[in-house]
Amino acid sequence: MRDICIWLSILFELSLIWPCAISMIFLNSINQHTKLVNHVRVKRGWSWEPLYVTEEQEVKKALYVGQIRSDSDKQDGSIKYILSGDGAGTIFAMNENSGKISVLKKLDREEKSLYTLRAQAINRFTGVPVEAESEFVIKILDINDNEPMFINGPYIAEVPEMSPKGTFVIQVTAIDMDDPTHGNNARLVYSILQGQPQFSIEIKSGIIRVASQIDRETKDHYHVIIQARDMIGNVGALSATTTVTIKVSDINDNAPKFQQKTYNMSIIESASVGEIVGIIFADDIDIGRNAEMVYSIEEKGDYNMFNISTDSITQEGILTLNKVVDFERRSRRYIIQVIAQNKFQIDLFDTAIIRIYVIDVDEPPVFIKKEYFMEILENATIGSYIGSVTAKDPDITNSTVRYGILQKKYSRSFEIHSNNGSIITAKHLDRESDSWHNITVTATEAKNDAHVSYVQVHIRVIDVNDNAPQLQNEYDTYVCEKARAGQHVKTIIAGDIDESPLTLPFSFTLPSEETNNANFTVIDNGDNTASILTLRDGYSYQEMPLLYLTIIISDNGIPSLSSTNTLTIKVCDCGSDNNTESCRPGGFFLNFLNSGAFIAISVFTVLILVLALLIHMKFQKRHAMLAEKGEDLKENIVKYDDEGGGEEDTEAFDMIGLRHHTVMREHKKKRTIRTDIQSMYRLSLGLGPDVAIFREFLTEKLEEANSDQSVLPLDSLHSYAFEGTGSTSGSLSSIESSGSNTDQYF
């Protein structure tokens, strides 16, 4: 019984400690498992295939790209994949269960060639990462979707004619936006579509070279069309074209050629020495300096009868008479041989024969040109030679041609030699006034004035540097009293009426006596302007209100011309803001208004208007009172517009007769009105006639009034607006009267 009690007590104690023991065993087991997890290394990692996307694919639904996954993924759904980085969620999407990546929209490799993303694998239940975050790249594969482009087209090049084969002309370059590292999409080849066989192009470099001999005289420019194709020109390649304009420059490789081998000319026997016989022309198909030539006469036959010169502008050979010809006594035909030789290569030349006939035909003279163009410097002295006109008389008769100028506006500036047609200046010319003069020259047979020919001569006046530059404007310049040294005062601009190439640029300097100017200096801005700067602090209007700065403006002509200009600078109190705008005309008034004076002026104006209104009302009231008094006196007052006959009329007048009797006036004879008496208004201004004339007029009027017996006796009071100039006696009237109203009352 005792043993049973002992076992029962043991069992009871065990029942109490059993839950604690079980808990300890479970915790110990977890700790051992954790230690195993912490100390045992399990090999894990990412596994994926290379990821690429071809550009320009139409994506209507998500397009599979590739898959990434963790080696520890047992595909039991416990691992969740997360995608982040460039384009995640917008361009690329990942299946969180399988790690499969899809593209969501069409891509363009030329905009972006690769995308960098990051992948992460975590335990879906605990959120604990099972793999470290890894970065990977999705590349965009290129397709041939871009045409080549020429970066500098169209091109312009120049190559000398007769250049040897293989001569470099120009290199053209095209670019392709496709991937140069992927296939042949961006590998270009060049070819010529138009421009062969004269030119060729290197297929890879795009260098254009001369392929065959080219002659500028045959063709002076070529339009070469170049094509660039990608994919090395294979099927499906894209292409672009550009135009290369190749100009062929001239070389001196052609000799002058006369238009005809034989020339027939004529000259009148009365022609003066130096007169133009005719003009010949050898054509050189070269251009510029290469076409310049010199004419001469070979020393044989009658060469000494004539001279030939070369017109440097037209390259014509002008044949003039060297000795007088005589139709009756000497030969009527001369034969000379002339040579036209290249000016720079004497081995290039041509010859021609000239037959000159002396004729005597009674016909009007003929000018050898339809019109003439000449030039003369504007500083040419009077009598300077400008050019010559020539007219030929084809007559057999001994007729001389005389030259003249039709008298018009411009013709007075020129004279012409009546015998040889040489035009000279008769006056000083000024290009700035007239740059062109058009005159009409006449050629008249000396023996027959009816035979006259006309030609227009256009004379261009060439500019010379004969005008000094001047200031363009009259500057209103101010400097503030509180100005500081180095402060900008004014920018001045110069101008020159001469042509620009002769004068520009201008320079601004101070004369030697102004170099020590302590007030201002001038800075040449190099652009035909100059800046005026102060040299000291502060100026005083009281001490010196005006300051002067002398400036020399010179041009760039040869010789250089200059002018001396004096700039007046006014000292001004610019106010607190140191602004010279207040110094200009109207500036002070604006400041004055801004200070509140505008209100004062307005109030003053209102007061003046009120005062004027009161005076007007008072005047109206007084006028009404005078009108009432006039009603009482109207029975004794007669208004008339005639002059009186003197004081005796007043004494003999009876008012009763005027009131009760009707007086009939007889018709008066028409008075003679003196025309030498001016209006009373002009006389009142002291502009009238002499006093004696006016006194005579008054006497006549008085006698006329005294002798008229058919009118009522009139008052002797007369009022005249004019009493004579210089009168010291004052008014002749005994009472005051209005000067403008001729109605009198008595």
Side-chain angles (χ1 to χ4, degrees):
M1 188 69 179
R2 184 179 178 181
D3 292 335
I4 293 173
C5 291
I6 293 172
W7 280 106
L8 290 173
S9 62
I10 293 172
L11 290 174
F12 179 74
E13 291 178 359
L14 288 174
S15 65
L16 293 176
I17 65 173
W18 175 254
C20 294
I22 293 301
S23 299
M24 292 296 294
I25 293 170
F26 179 75
L27 292 175
N28 189 27
S29 175
I30 292 176
N31 290 335
Q32 289 179 357
H33 177 74
T34 303
K35 290 180 180 179
L36 288 175
V37 172
N38 292 336
H39 292 283
V40 176
R41 297 179 60 87
V42 180
K43 184 178 180 181
R44 297 174 181 175
W46 289 101
S47 174
W48 59 69
E49 57 195 63
L51 302 177
Y52 300 97
V53 177
T54 303
E55 67 170 334
E56 303 297 340
Q57 292 186 95
E58 292 293 338
V59 180
K60 297 182 179 179
K61 63 180 181 178
L63 184 65
Y64 176 76
V65 176
Q67 183 181 17
I68 64 172
R69 66 184 182 85
S70 172
D71 292 343
S72 61
D73 188 359
K74 297 178 181 180
Q75 298 183 355
D76 56 358
S78 62
I79 294 179
K80 178 182 179 180
Y81 295 95
I82 300 174
L83 183 67
S84 61
D86 194 4
T90 57
I91 300 176
F92 301 98
M94 175 186 282
N95 189 304
E96 65 179 12
N97 296 320
S98 63
K100 292 182 179 181
I101 301 174
S102 301
V103 64
L104 303 177
K105 63 180 182 179
K106 183 171 65 175
L107 301 179
D108 187 358
R109 189 204 66 84
E110 284 70 40
E111 293 182 1
K112 193 172 181 68
S113 61
L114 56 86
Y115 293 84
T116 302
L117 298 103
R118 294 183 299 279
Q120 188 178 16
I122 64 173
N123 188 292
R124 184 183 298 276
F125 305 106
T126 64
V128 177
V130 297
E131 294 289 353
E133 187 179 55
S134 179
E135 185 176 85
F136 63 96
V137 173
I138 299 178
K139 294 184 178 180
I140 310 302
L141 297 181
D142 184 49
I143 65 172
N144 189 23
D145 61 338
N146 289 279
E147 297 178 352
M149 295 184 299
F150 286 93
I151 56 177
N152 294 319
Y155 297 84
I156 298 177
E158 185 173 335
V159 63
E161 64 175 332
M162 301 302 175
S163 295
K165 183 178 180 180
T167 300
F168 173 85
V169 179
I170 194 174
Q171 182 177 15
V172 297
T173 303
I175 60 173
D176 196 317
M177 299 301 294
D178 291 325
D179 189 357
T181 64
H182 182 75
N184 297 324
N185 293 343
R187 297 182 63 182
L188 306 178
V189 293
Y190 300 91
S191 61
I192 292 182
L193 300 182
Q194 176 182 308
Q196 294 176 328
Q198 289 82 10
F199 303 96
S200 64
I201 189 169
E202 295 181 1
I203 190 171
K204 293 183 179 181
S205 65
I207 295 176
I208 301 175
R209 299 184 183 275
V210 176
S212 63
Q213 191 177 73
I214 51 178
D215 187 2
R216 188 203 65 83
E217 288 72 36
T218 302
K219 191 173 183 179
D220 60 356
H221 68 280
Y222 294 85
H223 295 291
V224 180
I225 299 178
I226 305 297
Q227 183 186 63
R229 293 174 61 86
D230 57 16
M231 296 182 67
I232 322 179
N234 294 329
V235 178
L238 301 177
S239 64
T241 60
T242 188
T243 301
V244 181
T245 301
I246 302 176
K247 299 179 180 179
V248 182
S249 59
D250 185 56
I251 63 172
N252 195 4
D253 60 339
N254 292 279
K257 295 292 181 181
F258 280 103
Q259 297 176 344
Q260 57 193 70
K261 285 298 182 179
T262 303
Y263 291 87
N264 294 319
M265 300 181 181
S266 61
I267 186 172
I268 60 174
E269 60 177 341
S270 60
S272 304
V273 173
E275 189 169 331
I276 296 177
V277 178
I279 295 177
I280 60 176
F281 180 70
D283 187 19
D284 192 330
I285 58 178
D286 291 327
I287 58 175
R289 296 179 70 255
N290 298 332
E292 295 182 9
M293 65 191 75
V294 177
Y295 295 90
S296 60
I297 300 175
E298 290 188 344
E299 296 185 4
K300 64 179 181 179
D302 297 314
Y303 74 94
N304 59 344
M305 292 293 297
F306 305 93
N307 286 330
I308 192 168
S309 60
T310 305
D311 190 320
S312 59
I313 298 177
T314 63
Q315 295 299 303
E316 296 173 328
I318 302 174
L319 188 67
T320 57
L321 189 63
N322 191 40
K323 294 182 179 180
V324 176
V325 294
D326 191 338
F327 179 81
E328 288 76 21
R329 299 181 182 180
R330 302 187 65 174
S331 176
R332 297 183 180 181
R333 188 182 70 170
Y334 297 90
I335 300 176
I336 60 175
Q337 182 171 331
V338 295
I339 182 171
Q341 193 172 43
N342 190 279
K343 189 174 182 179
F344 304 101
Q345 292 192 24
I346 60 176
D347 57 332
L348 300 176
F349 64 90
D350 193 19
T351 59
I353 300 298
I354 301 178
R355 295 189 180 98
I356 305 169
Y357 298 91
V358 181
I359 59 176
D360 186 12
V361 178
D362 191 13
E363 294 179 358
V366 177
F367 285 98
I368 61 175
K369 292 184 179 180
K370 293 183 178 180
E371 59 181 349
Y372 290 84
F373 291 89
M374 303 177 182
E375 293 181 340
I376 185 68
L377 293 172
E378 66 172 326
N379 63 345
T381 58
I382 296 178
S384 297
Y385 174 78
I386 302 174
S388 298
V389 298
T390 303
K392 298 181 299 181
D393 184 5
D395 297 338
I396 299 177
T397 59
N398 188 16
S399 297
T400 303
V401 176
R402 303 299 182 188
Y403 298 93
I405 299 177
L406 288 182
Q407 293 299 321
K408 292 183 179 179
K409 177 182 178 181
Y410 296 121
S411 62
R412 301 171 184 173
S413 300
F414 306 96
E415 293 180 355
I416 188 170
H417 194 285
S418 61
N419 293 329
N420 58 22
S422 299
I423 300 175
I424 61 174
T425 56
K427 294 181 179 180
H428 289 290
L429 303 177
D430 186 5
R431 186 203 66 85
E432 288 70 35
S433 298
D434 295 295
S435 58
W436 281 92
H437 298 269
N438 300 317
I439 62 175
T440 302
V441 176
T442 63
T444 307
E445 288 188 8
K447 294 183 178 180
N448 190 350
D449 294 341
H451 288 174
V452 182
S453 299
Y454 304 90
V455 70
Q456 291 292 322
V457 179
H458 310 283
I459 301 174
R460 175 176 175 261
V461 182
I462 302 175
D463 188 37
V464 298
N465 189 23
D466 59 344
N467 292 279
Q470 303 285 341
L471 288 176
Q472 279 193 351
N473 303 305
E474 294 183 2
Y475 292 96
D476 200 7
T477 309
Y478 298 90
V479 64
C480 295
E481 289 184 316
K482 299 179 182 180
R484 297 294 183 183
Q487 184 173 327
H488 179 269
V489 176
K490 194 74 174 180
T491 298
I492 58 176
I493 305 174
D496 196 325
I497 60 176
D498 288 325
E499 291 183 343
S500 298
L502 297 175
T503 58
L504 298 179
F506 302 135
S507 60
F508 299 80
T509 58
L510 295 176
S512 56
E513 60 271 14
E514 287 280 348
T515 54
N516 296 325
N517 190 310
N519 294 317
F520 306 98
T521 187
V522 61
I523 302 299
D524 193 336
N525 297 328
D527 57 354
N528 304 324
T529 67
S531 298
I532 308 300
L533 304 180
T534 58
L535 286 179
R536 63 185 179 90
D537 295 339
Y539 298 84
S540 175
Y541 176 82
Q542 300 296 332
E543 296 178 1
M544 190 172 294
L546 297 178
L547 301 172
Y548 302 96
L549 181 64
T550 303
I551 303 172
I552 298 177
I553 307 176
S554 304
D555 59 21
N556 197 35
I558 301 176
S560 176
L561 298 179
S562 62
S563 65
T564 302
N565 303 264
T566 300
L567 188 66
T568 302
I569 303 175
K570 304 173 184 178
V571 180
C572 175
D573 180 7
C574 302
S576 59
D577 57 353
N578 208 28
N579 185 3
T580 59
E581 291 297 328
S582 61
C583 305
R584 305 183 185 280
F588 175 78
F589 178 71
L590 294 177
N591 290 340
F592 179 70
L593 291 181
N594 293 336
S595 64
F598 179 76
I599 298 176
I601 293 175
S602 301
V603 173
F604 180 75
T605 303
V606 172
L607 293 177
I608 292 296
L609 293 175
V610 172
L611 182 60
L613 180 61
L614 293 175
I615 294 175
H616 177 71
M617 293 175 63
K618 185 176 181 180
F619 176 77
Q620 291 291 340
K621 184 176 180 181
R622 183 177 180 183
H623 184 271
M625 293 174 64
L626 292 175
E628 293 176 358
K629 294 180 180 180
E631 291 294 333
D632 298 334
L633 300 175
K634 63 182 180 181
E635 294 182 354
N636 299 326
I637 297 177
V638 177
K639 178 181 178 182
Y640 68 99
D641 56 357
D642 200 355
E643 294 93 353
E647 293 183 358
E648 60 274 19
D649 292 340
T650 305
E651 296 174 358
F653 184 71
D654 186 1
M655 292 294 293
I656 298 174
L658 180 61
R659 290 180 180 177
H660 301 285
H661 300 280
T662 301
V663 180
M664 300 298 293
R665 298 183 61 180
E666 296 180 1
H667 180 69
K668 297 170 59 177
K669 296 182 180 180
K670 185 177 181 181
R671 301 174 183 176
T672 302
I673 301 175
R674 297 272 311 262
T675 58
D676 56 353
I677 303 300
Q678 301 183 15
S679 67
M680 290 298 180
Y681 174 75
R682 291 184 52 83
L683 295 175
S684 64
L685 298 177
L687 303 175
D690 188 76
V691 176
I693 298 175
F694 191 71
R695 185 181 295 109
E696 181 183 353
F697 170 73
L698 294 179
T699 303
E700 292 177 359
K701 299 296 291 184
L702 182 59
E703 291 177 356
E704 180 183 351
N706 292 336
S707 60
D708 191 355
Q709 301 297 329
S710 62
V711 297
L712 294 174
L714 303 177
D715 185 26
S716 60
L717 176 62
H718 296 273
S719 175
Y720 297 95
F722 180 77
E723 297 171 354
T725 57
S727 174
T728 59
S729 60
S731 175
L732 298 176
S733 176
S734 59
I735 61 173
E736 291 292 330
S737 64
S738 60
S740 61
N741 190 357
T742 59
D743 297 339
Q744 305 297 324
Y745 297 87
F746 62 94

